[in-house]
């Protein structure tokens, strides 16, 4: 199965782009951000973001790299379909609380606290 043919991609809002660019520049030798979906929480899954400070020593064929204005976002092939058509946003709530928000159409339900989610199974 060629996953790239079934994947529509992700989008990043201008606010998220500015925030991720700030994070990357703030951390010396950072080359991008990796986004994983991990089994966690009461609903089943949770996003995990990490800065990549070195070139991958792993097989690069296991990651898709989305690049927008010199921001590299690494997504494993196993997570691509779970993130299909996701918009990444950076939002401020209650005046001072800020966070990355994933507007993912594949999410079926959130847990009560909103930290984890379940995914609609693709056919």
């Amino acid at each position: 199965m060629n996953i790239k043919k079934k994947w529509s991609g992700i989008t990043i809002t201008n606010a998220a782009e500015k925030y991720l660019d700030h994070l990357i520049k703030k951390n010396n030798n950072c080359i991008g951000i990796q986004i994983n979906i991990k089994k966690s929480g009461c609903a089943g899954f949770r996003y995990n973001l990490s800065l990549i400070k070195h070139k991958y020593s792993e097989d690069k064929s296991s990651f898709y790299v989305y690049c927008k204005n010199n921001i590299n976002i690494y997504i494993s092939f196993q997570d691509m379909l779970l993130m299909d058509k996701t918009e990444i946003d950076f939002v401020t709530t209650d005046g001072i609380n800020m966070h990355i928000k994933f507007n993912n159409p594949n999410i079926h339900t959130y847990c009560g606290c909103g930290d984890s989610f379940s995914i609609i199974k693709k056919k």
Side-chain angles (χ1 to χ4, degrees):
M1 174 173 81
N2 188 345
I3 198 163
K4 288 182 183 180
K5 287 185 180 179
K6 295 184 180 241
W7 197 59
S8 299
I10 61 173
T11 57
I12 302 175
T13 65
N14 289 337
E17 182 182 335
K18 288 177 187 175
Y19 177 71
L20 294 175
D21 185 54
H22 169 74
L23 280 179
I24 291 168
K25 287 178 179 173
K26 179 179 172 183
N27 292 279
N28 293 336
N29 300 321
C30 184
I31 63 166
I33 308 270
Q34 181 177 348
I35 301 173
N36 290 40
I37 295 178
K38 301 282 187 185
K39 287 187 177 187
S40 179
C42 55
F45 296 97
R46 176 176 289 158
Y47 292 104
N48 182 45
L49 277 73
S50 55
L51 294 171
I52 300 173
K53 294 188 176 187
H54 53 81
K55 291 191 177 186
Y56 267 100
S57 58
E58 298 177 40
D59 181 12
K60 289 183 183 181
S61 65
S62 63
F63 290 92
Y64 173 77
V65 181
Y66 174 83
C67 185
K68 181 178 181 190
N69 296 333
N70 294 324
I71 298 172
N72 294 319
I73 297 178
Y74 294 78
I75 302 170
S76 70
F77 285 137
Q78 70 185 21
D79 292 339
M80 282 175 69
L81 289 178
L82 300 175
M83 292 189 64
D84 192 30
K85 301 178 185 172
T86 296
E87 176 192 64
I88 301 170
D89 197 5
F90 181 71
V91 295
T92 303
T93 57
D94 301 325
I96 59 171
N97 295 322
M98 298 173 274
H99 64 276
I100 294 285
K101 180 177 180 182
F102 295 89
N103 298 312
N104 186 338
N106 304 301
I107 291 179
H108 179 64
T109 58
Y110 288 95
C111 70
C113 66
D115 281 343
S116 64
F117 55 89
S118 65
I119 297 283
I120 298 171
K121 294 196 179 203
K122 297 251 182 190
K123 293 180 181 180

